[in-house]
Amino acid sequence: MAHRVGIIGGDGIGPEVTAEALKVVRAAGVELATTDYDLGGRRYLATGDVLPDSVLEELRGFDAILLGAVGTPEVPPGVLERGLLLRMRFALDLYVNLRPFKSPPNRHNDGVDFLVVRENTEGTYAGEGGFLRQGTPNEIATQGSVNTRLGVERCVRFAFDLAKARPAKHLTLVHKTNVLTFAGDLWQRTFDAVATDFADVATAYNHVDAACIYFVQDPARYDVIVTDNLFGDILTDLGGAIAGGIGRAASANLNPARTGPSLFEPVHGSAPDIAGTGKADPRAAVISASMMCDFLGEADAATRILNAVDKTDDVEGTTSQVGDAIAAAC
Ligand code: IPM
Ligand code: MN
């Protein structure tokens, strides 16, 4: 049976890379029944709609959602981020943002192969805070960090399960427990408590600033990392930069409880400067789509796609030429 997938190509290079991802998934033999949704900066500028409630309800009915990228320079910051991307993450309870970093064979950092499990529904992203006396000389802005035992534990548990299934069986908690003594304490205690259920997983802890040094100087030390929402956001851009570039950085916004669809998207944005030029690298979208296949139970196809990406690593060309080469190698 075909998997039902909602497609949000979005803006800029989003639709271009999404088309290649779909081409590759189909070449790998996975049947998809897709429905396109017009969402993003273009729609917002034309109609004022960001994510109508009726569309959100429809999206709940899919097996998965594949997203390209949203954002156009004319849209003020925060409108699409909070109104579309974060709204979907929160409303669909996509509580894990899983981001793999694997350096291409024979390239910089060859052999580096780790995953970041980023908490995806809490922390500073929860939107706690506000203004007092806004626009006056006495104005105050606060932006809190929300950390619940439930939210931290389900994310940490996912990371332990993932680490347990990998050969190295190693999990590092990244936080800033020396300064964020409330949130950090909750994270550390939760991590230690869950660890007692996973005797075969070795653990480590790094402060986030130190982790930045290790990412650059010794990334091979990592297997699985678990961290909070904002640290995970920053660290995963660095991860992309040290493992094959942002053109390979993929992500899976997962609802592991499977109470609704999960959402798969490349980490890069809409890159309006190269939209329409054929210069966009579709690999991040393709790898995100392979994570979608894996989550939908198509593990063989997912592996074939990843192998095809590795095999065609030296292929240069337009977005669709790279997509064709990967599809042919499936
Ligand atoms: C990402 C992006 C988003 C985030 C933005 C666009 C809301 O940077 O997926 O990493 O901060 O999570
Ligand atoms: Mn980011």
Side-chain angles (χ1 to χ4, degrees), residues 99-165:
R99 297 185 163 180
F101 299 99
K102 190 163 188 267
S103 294
N106 310 316
R107 297 278 187 105
H108 181 59
N109 280 332
D110 187 359
V112 162
D113 178 5
F114 66 90
L115 297 113
V116 175
V117 177
R118 165 185 175 189
E119 200 291 318
N120 210 32
T121 54
E122 300 192 341
T124 42
Y125 279 68
E128 189 208 67
F131 292 108
L132 206 58
R133 302 189 287 266
Q134 189 185 8
T136 74
N138 295 322
E139 99 173 296
I140 299 172
T142 63
Q143 191 99 47
S145 173
V146 175
N147 299 264
T148 70
R149 174 67 194 225
L150 176 139
V152 175
E153 180 164 347
R154 63 186 183 175
C155 171
V156 165
R157 211 165 263 290
F158 178 92
F160 269 102
D161 276 328
L162 181 65
K164 187 185 165 84

Side-chain angles (χ1 to χ4, degrees), residues 35-308:
T35 307
D36 283 303
Y37 286 88
D38 175 22
L39 293 171
R42 208 169 12 113
R43 165 125 182 227
Y44 172 73
L45 292 170
T47 68
D49 289 333
V50 179
L51 176 59
D53 292 344
S54 59
V55 175
L56 179 60
E57 288 317 305
E58 266 182 56
L59 289 172
R60 287 185 197 281
F62 287 95
D63 299 324
I65 300 164
L66 192 65
L67 188 145
V70 295
T72 47
E74 301 82 15
V75 180
V79 173
L80 299 172
E81 290 84 348
R82 291 220 78 90
L84 181 53
L85 294 174
L86 299 186
R87 184 152 178 239
M88 286 193 289
R89 290 178 189 175
F90 297 163
L92 301 174
D93 210 16
L94 308 175
Y95 62 84
V96 162
N97 196 326
L98 182 62
R99 297 185 163 180
F101 299 99
K102 190 163 188 267
S103 294
N106 310 316
R107 297 278 187 105
H108 181 59
N109 280 332
D110 187 359
V112 162
D113 178 5
F114 66 90
L115 297 113
V116 175
V117 177
R118 165 185 175 189
E119 200 291 318
N120 210 32
T121 54
E122 300 192 341
T124 42
Y125 279 68
E128 189 208 67
F131 292 108
L132 206 58
R133 302 189 287 266
Q134 189 185 8
T136 74
N138 295 322
E139 99 173 296
I140 299 172
T142 63
Q143 191 99 47
S145 173
V146 175
N147 299 264
T148 70
R149 174 67 194 225
L150 176 139
V152 175
E153 180 164 347
R154 63 186 183 175
C155 171
V156 165
R157 211 165 263 290
F158 178 92
F160 269 102
D161 276 328
L162 181 65
K164 187 185 165 84
R166 287 170 57 87
K169 296 190 183 3
H170 190 277
L171 178 64
T172 305
L173 170 64
V174 171
H175 208 282
K176 186 76 184 172
T177 55
N178 53 343
V179 173
L180 304 186
T181 50
F182 310 128
D185 193 69
L186 174 60
W187 272 83
Q188 184 74 67
R189 274 186 289 113
T190 306
F191 185 84
D192 293 344
V194 175
T196 61
D197 292 340
F198 293 87
D200 48 346
V201 176
T203 61
Y205 171 80
N206 291 162
H207 291 317
V208 64
D209 45 354
C212 290
I213 298 177
Y214 297 139
F215 262 50
V216 174
Q217 293 189 343
D218 181 25
R221 69 168 56 213
Y222 293 118
D223 179 29
V224 180
I225 290 171
V226 64
T227 191
D228 95 335
N229 207 338
L230 182 59
F231 295 145
D233 176 49
I234 299 165
L235 219 41
T236 54
D237 267 21
L238 185 55
I242 58 120
I246 200 71
R248 278 180 175 256
S251 81
N253 295 261
L254 299 177
N255 172 340
R258 296 183 190 261
T259 56
S262 292
L263 182 152
F264 301 82
E265 59 171 333
V267 175
H268 64 66
S270 56
D273 52 321
I274 59 163
T277 64
K279 285 187 189 151
D281 189 340
R283 289 178 175 90
V286 169
I287 297 170
S288 303
S290 88
M291 298 176 84
M292 177 180 81
C293 293
D294 193 44
F295 202 72
L296 291 173
E298 304 277 2
D300 288 352
T303 305
R304 274 202 306 284
I305 294 172
L306 291 182
N307 289 340

Side-chain angles (χ1 to χ4, degrees), residues 21-31 293 298 300-306 308 326-330:
L22 289 172
K23 182 195 284 178
V24 170
V25 169
R26 292 194 162 112
V30 177
E31 267 186 72
C293 293
E298 304 277 2
D300 288 352
T303 305
R304 274 202 306 284
I305 294 172
L306 291 182
I326 299 171
C330 283

